[in-house]
Amino acid sequence: MEIHVNQHRVNTHTVYANRARMLISCPDGPGIVAAVSRFLHEHGANIVQSDQYTMDPEGGMFFMRVEFDLPELTEALPKLEQDFGTVAEQFRMQWHISCVSRKKKLAIFVSKEDHCLVELLWQWQAGDLDADIAMVVSNHLDMKEYVESFGILYHHIPVTPETKPEAEQRQLEVIDSDIDVIILARYMQIISPKFIEHYRNRIINIHHSFLPAFVGGKPYAQAYNRGVKIIGATAHYVTEELDGGPIIEQDVQRVSHRDDVTELKRIGRTIERVVLARAVKWHVEDRILVHENKTVVF
Amino acid sequence: MEIHVNQHRVNTHTVYANRARMLISCPDGPGIVAAVSRFLHEHGANIVQSDQYTMDPEGGMFFMRVEFDLPELTEALPKLEQDFGTVAEQFRMQWHISCVSRKKKLAIFVSKEDHCLVELLWQWQAGDLDADIAMVVSNHLDMKEYVESFGILYHHIPVTPETKPEAEQRQLEVIDSDIDVIILARYMQIISPKFIEHYRNRIINIHHSFLPAFVGGKPYAQAYNRGVKIIGATAHYVTEELDGGPIIEQDVQRVSHRDDVTELKRIGRTIERVVLARAVKWHVEDRILVHENKTVVF
Amino acid sequence: MEIHVNQHRVNTHTVYANRARMLISCPDGPGIVAAVSRFLHEHGANIVQSDQYTMDPEGGMFFMRVEFDLPELTEALPKLEQDFGTVAEQFRMQWHISCVSRKKKLAIFVSKEDHCLVELLWQWQAGDLDADIAMVVSNHLDMKEYVESFGILYHHIPVTPETKPEAEQRQLEVIDSDIDVIILARYMQIISPKFIEHYRNRIINIHHSFLPAFVGGKPYAQAYNRGVKIIGATAHYVTEELDGGPIIEQDVQRVSHRDDVTELKRIGRTIERVVLARAVKWHVEDRILVHENKTVVF
Amino acid sequence: MEIHVNQHRVNTHTVYANRARMLISCPDGPGIVAAVSRFLHEHGANIVQSDQYTMDPEGGMFFMRVEFDLPELTEALPKLEQDFGTVAEQFRMQWHISCVSRKKKLAIFVSKEDHCLVELLWQWQAGDLDADIAMVVSNHLDMKEYVESFGILYHHIPVTPETKPEAEQRQLEVIDSDIDVIILARYMQIISPKFIEHYRNRIINIHHSFLPAFVGGKPYAQAYNRGVKIIGATAHYVTEELDGGPIIEQDVQRVSHRDDVTELKRIGRTIERVVLARAVKWHVEDRILVHENKTVVF
């Protein structure tokens, strides 16, 4: 069992018991950085990392990510959050604070292609993915034994055109309120608007092309037919528009006329798994802010 | 004058007076390579480089590029070509032989953006582009003085929606039969099917996006609005379908949310000029075979 | 067990029972391509792929790789090889023919880092690596259970400075004459000249830096201290000179001042496994010719 | 004359008359961001961009870059700088404020290779390099006419082993106190420690290899002989150690066995000019902080 094999690994993520991350979006205006950093300083927090970005200095949106250490974080956080309300209101902020020590819970949806799942499990096992993989959900049984060998729950929920609504209902039940983010690791099923609504900007899909080129099915065949010299993959949040959600990450690799569709798929598998793993990593590290149909990645 | 500045340069292209290149396309079948290499050997030619590719071993197309040295090439070539007719007929080949010492003649079409033209002139001047830039054709006067400082003809042919047919007629006249290939170095005008017919697979355009993403106008604005994490450029042969011709070369560069449209354009300029220059280099070195809507680049 | 999980996979490599590959190195001279292709044609072989390269047209080395189909290959090959002797002698060729259907046998040497081994096993399982992984050899027990779950032999041969000669002797015994190529998948032990002699140009190592930068130990720490903006990995054949053998493949990724040594290692792991997997794939597909300290990769 | 040709260009850099940039390095500690942002806010400045980085949260160095708008900047700056002294002293900061509207003055040193100079002049002309190219200094006359056609001063200062001290003295005189940064655009001469001392972290060199691989002369020949599969270029600040100064930027491109030294040089020229241009751009935009032998690039 792999789970034994890697027991010797020490998790490489130092436990930052008192570290938190704050994400802020608001209309830009003078004094935001000063207000936030003064607030944190006055509450005894020490900023260890801060990033900000203003979409357009004249009347645009302002985005900020602050990573800070606060003594006795668990006890102190409720008051900090309460007090921050005043600052947030003044600047009309959307904001959120998360504790680094509270790992995000992932549900990974798969179908029959295993490479993206294998990558995420390997990175998790290697200590490179700082999250809990709480369950795998699949419309097939193919990877059940493999997933369970890691001690991870495997929910087999078949989907047919007729049973789709019931299947999604069943998925929502097993996910419960416990899951922070859903990863479509080559799940190959379209998610209904109703389902998406429950997990707005919390469903990450990997599309096997350099979007917006080759939207829809069989993108490698499309790429081959178009004769492109570079192929790619795109990780994005799922929205109601097929392959149209906010792009988180993309990467590409050079190909040539010698590569047929089978070879493009083979090359593509490595791009897909690397791109999806990066997007998941950034999400669980609270590095992504979504504004309209675009992402800010700090 | 720049033309003086670089007089110290020795052209880095050794003059291969007896070197030729042969391009072949035909339905695949047994014995083609043997027949071609035997033919050349028996005619006293020495193969210095040979590339081949079969699109599909079962009944697909076969492509070949052979570079060879033949003593007294100029005198010997007519007979070689005549004799090769038998081989060509046997395998139903489309074929062409060109002498390396006979440089291809280029006409570069520009509008107002100068970066692609500047790059081609610089590479030409540096001895990296083994071709003759015979003329620049533009609908504007902006680069006249600059181009003429290289001793290159500059044809100013204004184009308006009303005068387009006359303008194209005038372009064909100045190009005459002398030009081998036309480079649209950000020319920004749509070429008519009639014009294209004269230069089938001999007009190279640079499109400022990673095709087929962002076909048409303002691709950097489209890319910005879609929030892509990578931008690119595409060099392709011009066909009747806008931005739909056979792709010769593409390249990309990573961007982030921090890059606005102006910055995307700035980054894109470097990709555009590099990609176009590569495509032109490969064309003048007879490295490209076109089959249907795709290229084989050896 | 993973081995069950993926039983559904059909091997994506079509069985080419009658396909063979020929590798040739010799001093360049006129008529080589013609002689080889005529020979194959006259023996009933059909060339499906051919690559050649001449290091220097004036008196350099000539390299060729030919892939061909020959009816009844197994029966016909001995005579073909015998007859080819005359051609080979004429041009003073070093040459070798291998049957595509006879998969190469791999021994993978590992120590404690598992990412390169996991990648090779995954690619093998996915049908992307057309070889037999015959055994894993390790100086540690860590991956025994994992490897055996694939039904692969695991030889645990501890190595200490004192027992090194005996350990290498034991390794040679378990490898026997059966193994075609040895993969050092982060094996972290220096191989003795005597051992190398048995597997000249058949031991592939992955070095975790962009060689020749950062030869020797702790290359990520060296890279961090030097403040490089790009890190890389290098797959090479092992020779007596540490990290000095012929380079097969390299790749890189951009890093920044934000990446500490731990992060460099994490990023590096993905480069290492991709680069090593490419090198192994090329080796087992007979794409690599070694000349002095360099490789020609077709 | 090119200088006429491009008169139509509108400089794409908006004039930010009231924008300034502040660079800070100091030992890390609590409250720095809060102190700086509060200080700026209380002095009427609006932060439009802020980046920070802590080398090691436990007792490491802290680096910060703040871009801010301040009404009536020119008049207000002296008092702002004076008042900031107290903050700076408290945290033992090294700091510097520069006005965006005051363009940095560049002296470009060249020898005989022109590609890096051509690139810088083209980017400057295109409005992509927000600096003043005050002069070109060369030990050769080759580019005099070309440089002067841009209206830029050309100082011809021959250098021989015997006259080197006098030549450097003469260089320092023509540079005077007026120049902010010196660009060695393939200058090919070693700079003396005495000269470096005058321009500590203000001399940028482009080295034509991926440092630390191939230090010293003829790096492309070294790369060819080592058989690398990727070549690169490195822009770095010049220190007393040859090719050993803090690295600002690096980039690479894939090559193959087919590329001889001439071709490596040709490919390398494009990498060199792109890498050098990026480094210069970042320097003039105050994006680089140097700490010991490494750079932080915001």
Side-chain angles (χ1 to χ4, degrees):
Chain A
M1 297 289 159
E2 288 189 345
I3 204 163
H4 298 158
V5 174
N6 285 280
Q7 276 182 340
H8 68 281
R9 281 194 177 278
V10 178
N11 193 308
T12 59
H13 289 275
T14 315
V15 182
Y16 291 116
N18 290 323
R19 184 158 296 178
R21 302 178 191 122
M22 183 185 235
L23 291 180
I24 298 168
S25 315
C26 64
D28 194 25
I32 305 176
V33 178
V36 172
S37 53
R38 183 171 49 201
F39 172 86
L40 288 172
H41 185 56
E42 288 174 0
H43 280 71
N46 185 32
I47 296 174
V48 291
Q49 175 69 35
S50 165
D51 292 281
Q52 63 162 101
Y53 165 65
T54 302
M55 203 165 259
D56 174 5
E58 312 294 329
M61 285 294 288
F62 171 91
F63 305 92
M64 190 173 188
R65 178 186 188 270
V66 189
E67 203 160 330
F68 60 88
D69 286 339
L70 180 64
E72 308 294 335
L73 178 68
T74 318
E75 294 72 25
L77 191 57
K79 174 152 171 50
L80 186 95
E81 291 186 315
Q82 194 183 337
D83 292 0
F84 192 70
T86 317
V87 180
E89 202 172 322
Q90 181 191 346
F91 293 101
R92 290 182 291 145
M93 291 175 176
Q94 287 191 291
W95 62 285
H96 179 252
I97 298 177
S98 59
C99 297
V100 169
S101 62
R102 188 213 164 270
K103 294 190 179 192
K104 290 198 174 43
K105 286 187 167 28
L106 272 53
I108 304 178
F109 281 39
V110 295
S111 188
K112 291 191 156 202
E113 295 255 26
D114 67 354
H115 54 286
C116 288
L117 175 65
V118 168
E119 179 74 17
L120 291 172
L121 288 174
W122 174 74
Q123 294 213 1
W124 171 72
Q125 208 179 38
D128 287 345
L129 180 61
D130 195 20
D132 281 341
I133 299 181
M135 67 181 67
V136 171
V137 176
S138 179
N139 51 341
H140 294 280
L141 279 164
D142 303 64
M143 289 175 240
K144 186 176 195 311
E145 198 169 353
Y146 176 62
V147 167
E148 290 178 348
S149 79
F150 288 85
I152 295 172
L153 278 174
Y154 190 90
H155 295 289
H156 176 227
I157 304 176
V159 180
T160 65
E162 297 73 34
T163 65
K164 188 153 180 178
E166 292 83 350
E168 284 203 344
Q169 187 53 42
R170 177 84 186 103
Q171 288 168 350
L172 285 171
E173 285 164 21
V174 302
I175 292 173
D176 199 14
S177 60
D178 203 34
I179 294 297
D180 295 289
V181 54
I182 294 169
I183 315 299
L184 307 185
R186 298 298 306 272
Y187 176 55
M188 313 304 282
Q189 297 279 331
I190 292 172
I191 309 296
S192 77
K194 187 187 147 219
F195 190 105
I196 294 168
E197 197 48 59
H198 285 85
Y199 289 91
R200 177 68 55 194
N201 295 336
R202 294 194 294 147
I203 307 174
I204 298 175
N205 182 47
I206 180 73
H207 181 77
H208 38 320
S209 90
F210 183 80
L211 287 175
F214 313 128
V215 168
K218 298 192 182 302
Y220 290 122
Q222 290 186 56
Y224 178 76
N225 292 333
R226 184 61 187 91
V228 291
K229 301 300 185 185
I230 287 173
I231 59 167
T234 304
H236 64 94
Y237 288 114
V238 174
T239 62
E240 286 76 5
E241 185 191 346
L242 180 65
D243 301 332
I247 293 171
I248 302 169
E249 171 62 340
Q250 305 188 288
D251 214 336
V252 295
Q253 188 164 331
R254 185 164 284 275
V255 295
S256 87
H257 60 267
R258 294 194 187 274
D259 300 308
D260 59 16
V261 177
T262 303
E263 189 66 10
L264 294 186
K265 284 181 184 172
R266 198 189 64 74
I267 295 169
R269 279 197 285 268
T270 288
I271 316 174
E272 290 165 34
R273 57 197 174 121
V274 168
V275 167
L276 179 61
R278 272 191 220 137
V280 172
K281 181 177 160 63
W282 295 342
H283 183 98
V284 302
E285 292 177 4
D286 300 302
R287 298 190 173 282
I288 312 173
L289 285 148
V290 178
H291 178 63
E292 292 172 355
N293 206 42
K294 295 164 78 166
T295 61
V296 170
V297 181
F298 284 125
Chain B
M1 299 285 159
E2 288 188 343
I3 204 164
H4 296 159
V5 174
N6 286 280
Q7 277 183 338
H8 68 282
R9 281 194 178 278
V10 179
N11 193 310
T12 59
H13 291 275
T14 315
V15 182
Y16 291 115
N18 291 323
R19 183 158 295 178
R21 302 178 191 121
M22 184 184 235
L23 290 180
I24 298 169
S25 315
C26 64
D28 194 23
I32 304 177
V33 178
V36 172
S37 53
R38 184 171 50 199
F39 173 87
L40 288 172
H41 184 56
E42 288 174 359
H43 280 72
N46 185 32
I47 296 174
V48 291
Q49 175 70 34
S50 165
D51 292 280
Q52 62 162 101
Y53 165 65
T54 301
M55 203 164 260
D56 175 5
E58 312 294 329
M61 286 293 290
F62 171 90
F63 305 92
M64 190 173 189
R65 178 186 187 269
V66 190
E67 203 160 329
F68 60 89
D69 287 338
L70 180 65
E72 308 295 334
L73 178 68
T74 318
E75 293 73 25
L77 191 57
K79 174 154 170 48
L80 187 95
E81 293 187 312
Q82 193 184 339
D83 293 358
F84 192 69
T86 317
V87 179
E89 202 171 323
Q90 181 190 348
F91 294 99
R92 289 183 292 142
M93 291 174 176
Q94 287 192 293
W95 63 284
H96 180 252
I97 298 176
S98 59
C99 297
V100 170
S101 63
R102 189 215 165 268
K103 294 189 180 193
K104 291 199 174 41
K105 286 188 167 30
L106 272 53
I108 303 177
F109 282 38
V110 294
S111 189
K112 291 190 158 205
E113 295 255 27
D114 67 355
H115 54 286
C116 288
L117 175 65
V118 167
E119 179 74 17
L120 291 172
L121 288 173
W122 174 73
Q123 294 214 0
W124 170 72
Q125 208 179 41
D128 287 345
L129 180 61
D130 195 21
D132 281 340
I133 299 180
M135 66 181 68
V136 171
V137 176
S138 179
N139 51 341
H140 294 281
L141 279 164
D142 303 65
M143 290 175 241
K144 185 177 196 307
E145 199 169 352
Y146 176 62
V147 167
E148 290 178 349
S149 80
F150 288 84
I152 295 172
L153 278 173
Y154 190 91
H155 294 289
H156 176 227
I157 304 176
V159 180
T160 64
E162 297 74 36
T163 65
K164 188 152 180 180
E166 293 83 350
E168 284 203 342
Q169 186 54 44
R170 178 86 187 99
Q171 288 168 349
L172 285 172
E173 286 166 20
V174 302
I175 291 173
D176 200 12
S177 60
D178 204 35
I179 293 297
D180 295 288
V181 55
I182 295 169
I183 316 298
L184 307 185
R186 298 297 307 270
Y187 176 53
M188 313 304 284
Q189 297 280 331
I190 291 172
I191 309 297
S192 77
K194 187 187 148 219
F195 190 104
I196 293 169
E197 198 47 59
H198 284 86
Y199 290 90
R200 177 67 55 193
N201 295 335
R202 294 194 294 147
I203 308 174
I204 297 174
N205 182 48
I206 180 73
H207 182 75
H208 36 322
S209 91
F210 182 80
L211 286 175
F214 314 128
V215 168
K218 297 194 182 304
Y220 290 121
Q222 290 186 56
Y224 178 76
N225 291 332
R226 184 62 188 88
V228 291
K229 302 300 185 184
I230 287 174
I231 60 167
T234 305
H236 64 94
Y237 288 114
V238 174
T239 61
E240 287 75 6
E241 184 190 348
L242 180 65
D243 301 332
I247 293 171
I248 302 168
E249 170 63 339
Q250 305 188 288
D251 214 337
V252 296
Q253 188 164 331
R254 187 165 282 274
V255 296
S256 86
H257 60 265
R258 294 193 188 276
D259 300 307
D260 60 15
V261 177
T262 303
E263 189 66 10
L264 294 186
K265 284 182 183 170
R266 197 190 64 73
I267 294 169
R269 279 197 285 269
T270 287
I271 316 175
E272 290 166 33
R273 57 196 173 118
V274 169
V275 167
L276 178 61
R278 273 191 219 136
V280 173
K281 181 177 161 63
W282 295 342
H283 183 98
V284 303
E285 292 176 5
D286 300 301
R287 298 190 174 281
I288 312 173
L289 285 149
V290 178
H291 179 63
E292 292 173 355
N293 206 42
K294 296 164 77 166
T295 61
V296 170
V297 180
F298 283 126
Chain C
M1 300 288 160
E2 287 189 343
I3 204 164
H4 299 157
V5 174
N6 285 280
Q7 279 183 340
H8 69 281
R9 278 193 179 279
V10 178
N11 193 309
T12 58
H13 289 274
T14 315
V15 181
Y16 290 116
N18 291 322
R19 183 158 297 178
R21 302 179 191 120
M22 183 185 237
L23 290 181
I24 297 168
S25 315
C26 64
D28 195 25
I32 304 176
V33 178
V36 172
S37 54
R38 183 172 49 201
F39 173 86
L40 289 172
H41 184 56
E42 287 174 0
H43 280 72
N46 185 31
I47 296 175
V48 291
Q49 176 69 35
S50 165
D51 292 280
Q52 62 161 104
Y53 164 66
T54 301
M55 203 165 259
D56 176 4
E58 312 295 328
M61 285 294 289
F62 171 91
F63 305 92
M64 190 172 189
R65 179 187 188 268
V66 189
E67 204 161 329
F68 60 87
D69 287 338
L70 180 65
E72 310 295 335
L73 178 67
T74 317
E75 293 73 24
L77 192 56
K79 174 154 172 48
L80 187 94
E81 292 186 314
Q82 192 184 340
D83 292 359
F84 191 68
T86 318
V87 179
E89 202 172 322
Q90 181 190 348
F91 292 100
R92 289 182 290 143
M93 291 174 176
Q94 287 191 289
W95 62 284
H96 181 252
I97 298 177
S98 58
C99 296
V100 170
S101 63
R102 189 216 164 267
K103 295 190 179 193
K104 289 196 175 44
K105 286 187 168 29
L106 271 53
I108 304 178
F109 281 38
V110 294
S111 188
K112 290 189 159 206
E113 295 255 26
D114 68 354
H115 54 285
C116 288
L117 174 66
V118 168
E119 180 73 19
L120 291 172
L121 288 173
W122 174 74
Q123 293 213 2
W124 171 71
Q125 208 178 39
D128 287 347
L129 179 60
D130 195 21
D132 281 339
I133 299 181
M135 67 182 68
V136 171
V137 176
S138 179
N139 50 341
H140 294 279
L141 279 164
D142 304 66
M143 290 174 240
K144 185 177 195 314
E145 197 169 354
Y146 176 63
V147 167
E148 290 179 347
S149 80
F150 288 85
I152 296 172
L153 277 174
Y154 190 90
H155 294 290
H156 176 226
I157 304 176
V159 180
T160 65
E162 297 74 34
T163 65
K164 189 151 178 179
E166 292 83 350
E168 284 204 342
Q169 187 53 43
R170 176 85 187 102
Q171 289 167 351
L172 285 172
E173 285 165 22
V174 302
I175 291 173
D176 199 14
S177 59
D178 203 35
I179 293 297
D180 295 289
V181 55
I182 295 170
I183 316 298
L184 307 185
R186 299 297 305 271
Y187 176 55
M188 313 305 282
Q189 298 280 330
I190 291 172
I191 309 296
S192 76
K194 188 188 146 215
F195 191 105
I196 293 169
E197 198 47 58
H198 284 85
Y199 289 91
R200 177 68 53 194
N201 294 334
R202 294 194 294 148
I203 308 174
I204 298 175
N205 182 47
I206 179 74
H207 182 76
H208 37 321
S209 91
F210 182 81
L211 287 175
F214 312 128
V215 168
K218 299 194 181 302
Y220 291 123
Q222 290 187 54
Y224 178 76
N225 291 332
R226 184 62 188 90
V228 292
K229 301 301 184 184
I230 286 173
I231 59 167
T234 304
H236 63 93
Y237 288 114
V238 174
T239 61
E240 286 74 7
E241 185 190 348
L242 180 65
D243 301 331
I247 293 172
I248 302 169
E249 170 64 339
Q250 305 188 286
D251 213 337
V252 295
Q253 188 164 330
R254 186 165 282 276
V255 295
S256 86
H257 59 268
R258 293 192 188 276
D259 300 307
D260 59 16
V261 177
T262 305
E263 188 67 11
L264 295 187
K265 284 182 184 171
R266 199 190 63 74
I267 294 169
R269 279 197 284 270
T270 288
I271 316 175
E272 289 165 34
R273 57 196 173 120
V274 168
V275 167
L276 178 62
R278 272 190 220 138
V280 173
K281 181 177 160 64
W282 295 342
H283 183 97
V284 301
E285 293 176 4
D286 300 302
R287 298 190 173 281
I288 312 174
L289 285 149
V290 178
H291 179 65
E292 292 173 357
N293 207 41
K294 296 165 77 168
T295 62
V296 170
V297 181
F298 284 125
Chain D
M1 299 286 159
E2 288 188 344
I3 203 163
H4 298 157
V5 175
N6 285 281
Q7 277 184 338
H8 68 281
R9 282 193 177 277
V10 179
N11 192 310
T12 58
H13 289 275
T14 316
V15 182
Y16 291 115
N18 291 323
R19 182 158 297 179
R21 303 177 191 123
M22 184 185 236
L23 290 180
I24 297 168
S25 314
C26 64
D28 195 24
I32 304 177
V33 178
V36 172
S37 53
R38 183 171 51 200
F39 172 87
L40 288 172
H41 184 56
E42 288 174 0
H43 280 72
N46 185 31
I47 296 174
V48 291
Q49 175 70 35
S50 166
D51 292 281
Q52 62 161 102
Y53 164 65
T54 302
M55 205 165 259
D56 175 4
E58 313 294 330
M61 285 294 289
F62 171 90
F63 305 92
M64 190 174 188
R65 179 187 187 268
V66 190
E67 204 161 330
F68 60 88
D69 286 338
L70 180 65
E72 309 294 335
L73 178 68
T74 318
E75 294 74 23
L77 191 57
K79 176 158 168 45
L80 187 95
E81 292 187 312
Q82 194 183 340
D83 292 359
F84 191 70
T86 317
V87 179
E89 202 171 322
Q90 181 190 348
F91 294 100
R92 291 183 291 145
M93 291 175 176
Q94 286 192 292
W95 62 284
H96 180 254
I97 298 177
S98 59
C99 297
V100 170
S101 64
R102 190 216 164 266
K103 295 189 180 192
K104 290 198 175 43
K105 286 188 166 31
L106 272 53
I108 303 178
F109 281 39
V110 294
S111 188
K112 290 191 157 202
E113 294 255 26
D114 67 355
H115 54 285
C116 288
L117 175 65
V118 168
E119 179 73 17
L120 291 172
L121 288 173
W122 173 73
Q123 293 212 2
W124 170 71
Q125 206 178 42
D128 287 346
L129 180 60
D130 195 21
D132 281 341
I133 299 179
M135 66 181 67
V136 171
V137 176
S138 180
N139 50 342
H140 294 280
L141 279 164
D142 304 65
M143 291 175 239
K144 185 176 196 305
E145 198 169 354
Y146 175 62
V147 166
E148 290 179 347
S149 78
F150 288 84
I152 295 172
L153 277 174
Y154 190 91
H155 294 290
H156 176 226
I157 304 177
V159 180
T160 65
E162 297 74 35
T163 65
K164 189 150 179 181
E166 293 83 350
E168 285 204 343
Q169 187 54 43
R170 177 87 187 100
Q171 288 168 350
L172 285 171
E173 286 166 19
V174 301
I175 292 173
D176 201 13
S177 60
D178 204 33
I179 294 297
D180 295 288
V181 55
I182 295 169
I183 316 298
L184 307 185
R186 298 297 305 271
Y187 176 54
M188 313 305 283
Q189 298 280 330
I190 292 172
I191 309 296
S192 76
K194 188 187 146 218
F195 191 105
I196 294 168
E197 198 48 59
H198 284 86
Y199 289 90
R200 177 68 54 193
N201 295 335
R202 294 194 294 147
I203 308 175
I204 298 175
N205 182 47
I206 180 73
H207 181 75
H208 37 321
S209 91
F210 182 80
L211 287 175
F214 313 129
V215 168
K218 299 195 181 301
Y220 291 121
Q222 289 186 55
Y224 178 76
N225 291 333
R226 184 61 188 90
V228 292
K229 301 300 185 184
I230 288 174
I231 58 168
T234 305
H236 63 95
Y237 288 115
V238 174
T239 62
E240 286 75 6
E241 185 190 346
L242 180 65
D243 301 331
I247 293 172
I248 303 169
E249 170 64 339
Q250 304 186 289
D251 214 336
V252 296
Q253 188 164 330
R254 186 166 282 274
V255 296
S256 86
H257 60 265
R258 293 193 188 277
D259 300 307
D260 60 15
V261 177
T262 304
E263 189 67 10
L264 295 186
K265 284 182 184 171
R266 198 189 64 74
I267 294 169
R269 280 197 284 270
T270 287
I271 316 175
E272 291 165 34
R273 57 196 172 119
V274 168
V275 167
L276 179 60
R278 273 192 219 136
V280 173
K281 181 177 161 64
W282 295 341
H283 183 98
V284 302
E285 292 176 4
D286 300 301
R287 298 190 173 281
I288 311 174
L289 285 150
V290 177
H291 178 63
E292 293 172 354
N293 206 41
K294 295 165 78 168
T295 62
V296 170
V297 180
F298 284 125

